[in-house]
Amino acid sequence: MKHKNAGIKKIISKNEIQKKVCELAKRINKDYYKKDLIVLSVLSGSVVFCSDIIRKLDVNFKLDFIKVSSYEGKKSADKIRLDFSSDYDVENKDVLIVEDIYDTGKTLAYLKNFLTEKKARSVAFCVLVDKKIKKKSIVKIKYCGFSVENKFIVGYGLDFNEKFRGLPYIGALGD
Ligand code: IMP
Ligand code: MG
């Protein structure tokens, strides 16, 4: 079934994204030269961004995936659940987590803690979009693509009920 893109307002173009990907990859190449890099793509939203990033890397790396989801805890505090993680050993490795959105920060804080417990040598974040909202958990984002107002965004891997992931640009959902 076809989905309509009507009602989506383009906020970041394909060209702007590609330019940013090149900038970020250039910095990653410089920073991870001679390191033991694991690029950890957070499923599913970061897959498009991550696949663009890795094709610009000229340092050695291993690609891995992790999947988490948030759910409502009993006392209304949202919790993060681990849905998938490979059993690859990250001990003494330099992990670069590639994520789509830094929203409340809960997901990223969970991932940082998860990898630190697994004794990663370093854990850093490469995030496509940082949303301008009050964070519940604050983490340091080493590589940040764009900072956007608090709107629900889709495209370039980001979905709304699994739709719009294939758009080549980032857009905001209308009301
Ligand atoms: P948080 O930072 O733990 O609040 O969660 C961020 C996660 O929520 C991201 O990894 C996205 O999967 C999802 N998310 C948050 N805002 C949006 C959005 O505007 N569009 C699509 N997914 C979103
Ligand atoms: Mg996500």
Side-chain angles (χ1 to χ4, degrees), residues 57 117 175:
L57 295 186
E117 277 181 0
D175 311 297

mmCIF file with all atom_site columns, all heavy atoms in Angstrom, residues 57 117 175:
data_model
loop_
_atom_site.group_PDB
_atom_site.id
_atom_site.type_symbol
_atom_site.label_atom_id
_atom_site.label_alt_id
_atom_site.label_comp_id
_atom_site.label_asym_id
_atom_site.label_entity_id
_atom_site.label_seq_id
_atom_site.pdbx_PDB_ins_code
_atom_site.Cartn_x
_atom_site.Cartn_y
_atom_site.Cartn_z
_atom_site.occupancy
_atom_site.B_iso_or_equiv
_atom_site.pdbx_formal_charge
_atom_site.auth_seq_id
_atom_site.auth_comp_id
_atom_site.auth_asym_id
_atom_site.auth_atom_id
_atom_site.pdbx_PDB_model_num
ATOM 1  N N   . LEU A 1 57  ? 33.702 6.285  6.379  1.00 0.00 ? 57  LEU A N   1
ATOM 2  C CA  . LEU A 1 57  ? 34.793 6.023  7.330  1.00 0.00 ? 57  LEU A CA  1
ATOM 3  C C   . LEU A 1 57  ? 35.981 5.387  6.615  1.00 0.00 ? 57  LEU A C   1
ATOM 4  O O   . LEU A 1 57  ? 35.804 4.518  5.758  1.00 0.00 ? 57  LEU A O   1
ATOM 5  C CB  . LEU A 1 57  ? 34.327 5.105  8.462  1.00 0.00 ? 57  LEU A CB  1
ATOM 6  C CG  . LEU A 1 57  ? 33.256 5.656  9.403  1.00 0.00 ? 57  LEU A CG  1
ATOM 7  C CD1 . LEU A 1 57  ? 32.997 4.685  10.557 1.00 0.00 ? 57  LEU A CD1 1
ATOM 8  C CD2 . LEU A 1 57  ? 33.628 7.026  9.957  1.00 0.00 ? 57  LEU A CD2 1
ATOM 9  N N   . GLU A 1 117 ? 28.973 -1.129 31.803 1.00 0.00 ? 117 GLU A N   1
ATOM 10 C CA  . GLU A 1 117 ? 28.957 -2.375 32.597 1.00 0.00 ? 117 GLU A CA  1
ATOM 11 C C   . GLU A 1 117 ? 29.647 -3.519 31.866 1.00 0.00 ? 117 GLU A C   1
ATOM 12 O O   . GLU A 1 117 ? 30.205 -4.414 32.479 1.00 0.00 ? 117 GLU A O   1
ATOM 13 C CB  . GLU A 1 117 ? 27.513 -2.778 32.918 1.00 0.00 ? 117 GLU A CB  1
ATOM 14 C CG  . GLU A 1 117 ? 26.972 -2.040 34.126 1.00 0.00 ? 117 GLU A CG  1
ATOM 15 C CD  . GLU A 1 117 ? 25.547 -2.425 34.485 1.00 0.00 ? 117 GLU A CD  1
ATOM 16 O OE1 . GLU A 1 117 ? 24.952 -3.270 33.789 1.00 0.00 ? 117 GLU A OE1 1
ATOM 17 O OE2 . GLU A 1 117 ? 25.052 -1.857 35.460 1.00 0.00 ? 117 GLU A OE2 1
ATOM 18 N N   . ASP A 1 175 ? -0.227 18.503 11.984 1.00 0.00 ? 175 ASP A N   1
ATOM 19 C CA  . ASP A 1 175 ? -1.219 18.139 13.010 1.00 0.00 ? 175 ASP A CA  1
ATOM 20 C C   . ASP A 1 175 ? -2.318 17.265 12.421 1.00 0.00 ? 175 ASP A C   1
ATOM 21 O O   . ASP A 1 175 ? -2.603 17.310 11.269 1.00 0.00 ? 175 ASP A O   1
ATOM 22 C CB  . ASP A 1 175 ? -1.854 19.390 13.634 1.00 0.00 ? 175 ASP A CB  1
ATOM 23 C CG  . ASP A 1 175 ? -0.772 20.366 14.051 1.00 0.00 ? 175 ASP A CG  1
ATOM 24 O OD1 . ASP A 1 175 ? 0.020  20.010 14.919 1.00 0.00 ? 175 ASP A OD1 1
ATOM 25 O OD2 . ASP A 1 175 ? -0.727 21.469 13.468 1.00 0.00 ? 175 ASP A OD2 1
#
